[in-house]
Amino acid sequence: MKWRGRRGSGNIIDRRRSGGGRGVAIGGAGGFGLLAIVVVGYFLGVDLTPLLDDGQMQGGGGGEITAADEEAAQFVSVTLADTEEIWADIFANEVGRAYEPAELVLFKGATQSACGGASAATGPFYCPPEERIFLDTDFFTTLDRRLGAGGDFAAAYVVAHEVAHHVQNELGVLGEVNAVRQRSDEATSNALSVRIELQADCFSGIWARRAEAMFGSLEPGDIEEAMNAAAQIGDDTLQREAGRTVRPDSFTHGTSEQRQRWFATGYEQGSLEACDTFATDRI
């Protein structure tokens, strides 16, 4: 992905030096890690709950801001700026109104949000009450080393996916569906969550198509990186990798195949209408 030398976003809130506290290990079934993931999972983060019993999963490291941290922050800022231009253009030409971009909170170790505590172990997430994305760039290391989804475009896909939840919020989809989820039983709530997540994957595909056209930022292999990331964070894959029985009724984000397919739909068709996961019987 070609990103160096391009403008960054003015909507970054940097808490990495604010002393927000260190993360904690989340092996076992108690403590801050589990609570944070349960709360954040409801608000559309990357669902790492199948790995809760894996002692290799850790919270954010905290500590010194390294050169790698600074580069990751610059990368996130450029990626966020790209999403802002792309969605502003789509809203102006297809929605008929201005796009109000989300803010993105960078932290290192742990921080707090209106949606609960956050750490690298929770994964990036979008908090609707604040209209903010929360991201510890240590998650990119988890994505690469633990989940097998390395590459800069894989990381960009994760950012674009969380921005897509803000787009859903701007369109009124997120609030409407989450209101129904609050009144529903667990099975129905999970099924609706899957449709939300798959639509966000589809919107991420639209972003990738537009980024290629507007900025020429894609390089050979980038789409494959995004598709691999989508596969590695599928509910079935995460449950299987954690040594658990695959339980479709517990899915909240969609299978690997579904996540790849909907990303590809957005990339190939490039329209909001093609991403209506709520109007199809085949998700």
Side-chain angles (χ1 to χ4, degrees):
M1 176 179 172
K2 301 173 184 176
W3 64 273
R4 299 180 189 280
R6 296 197 288 112
R7 82 166 185 93
S9 172
N11 289 304
I12 299 286
I13 299 170
D14 193 344
R15 294 184 185 172
R16 292 176 298 161
R17 295 176 176 85
S18 63
R22 296 178 66 86
V24 296
I26 60 170
F32 169 81
L34 175 59
L35 176 61
I37 289 178
V38 169
V39 173
V40 167
Y42 185 82
F43 287 102
L44 314 167
V46 176
D47 185 10
L48 300 182
T49 52
L51 302 177
L52 279 171
D53 294 326
D54 188 337
Q56 298 181 60
M57 285 298 299
Q58 302 289 324
E64 178 186 0
I65 305 298
T66 66
D69 290 326
E70 293 291 12
E71 179 166 293
Q74 292 170 15
F75 170 79
V76 168
S77 182
V78 170
T79 302
L80 185 64
D82 287 355
T83 69
E84 290 165 355
E85 290 191 40
I86 288 166
W87 286 110
D89 181 70
I90 292 172
F91 268 60
N93 293 300
E94 298 181 28
V95 182
R97 60 180 175 84
Y99 170 68
E100 298 294 335
E103 294 179 319
L104 190 150
V105 178
L106 281 176
F107 65 94
K108 187 174 178 69
T111 193
Q112 291 294 319
S113 79
C115 297
S119 75
T122 63
F125 66 94
Y126 175 67
C127 183
E130 292 184 81
E131 298 187 353
R132 286 176 175 172
I133 297 160
F134 288 78
L135 172 68
D136 185 335
T137 53
D138 280 349
F139 177 75
F140 296 150
T141 301
T142 299
L143 192 67
D144 182 5
R145 299 179 185 174
R146 181 69 186 92
L147 301 179
D152 51 9
F153 204 75
Y157 154 73
V158 170
V159 175
H161 178 92
E162 298 309 325
V163 170
H165 287 313
H166 178 67
V167 171
Q168 291 173 314
N169 203 29
E170 285 284 288
L171 294 173
V173 173
L174 197 56
E176 182 178 344
V177 176
N178 275 338
V180 175
R181 289 179 65 205
Q182 289 178 341
R183 303 191 300 267
S184 302
D185 59 31
E186 183 178 3
T188 301
S189 177
N190 286 349
L192 288 171
S193 177
V194 167
R195 290 179 184 266
I196 289 173
E197 291 294 336
L198 295 179
Q199 184 177 68
D201 282 328
C202 191
F203 285 175
S204 300
I206 294 177
W207 156 79
R209 180 189 181 103
R210 300 292 180 106
E212 187 173 34
M214 292 176 68
F215 311 116
S217 55
L218 271 67
E219 297 179 302
D222 279 346
I223 294 300
E224 288 78 10
E225 286 182 3
M227 291 285 279
N228 178 54
Q232 297 305 323
I233 56 178
D235 287 321
D236 55 337
T237 297
L238 285 172
Q239 289 181 0
R240 194 176 295 113
E241 288 296 318
R244 297 185 179 184
T245 300
V246 175
R247 293 181 50 238
D249 61 307
S250 70
F251 291 173
T252 57
H253 287 60
T255 67
S256 295
E257 185 276 332
Q258 288 171 327
R259 300 199 71 165
Q260 288 184 309
R261 175 161 45 84
W262 280 102
F263 176 87
T265 296
Y267 180 71
E268 292 165 2
Q269 300 192 31
S271 70
L272 294 175
E273 291 77 13
C275 294
D276 190 353
T277 56
F278 299 95
T280 180
D281 292 331
R282 179 178 182 256
I283 60 168

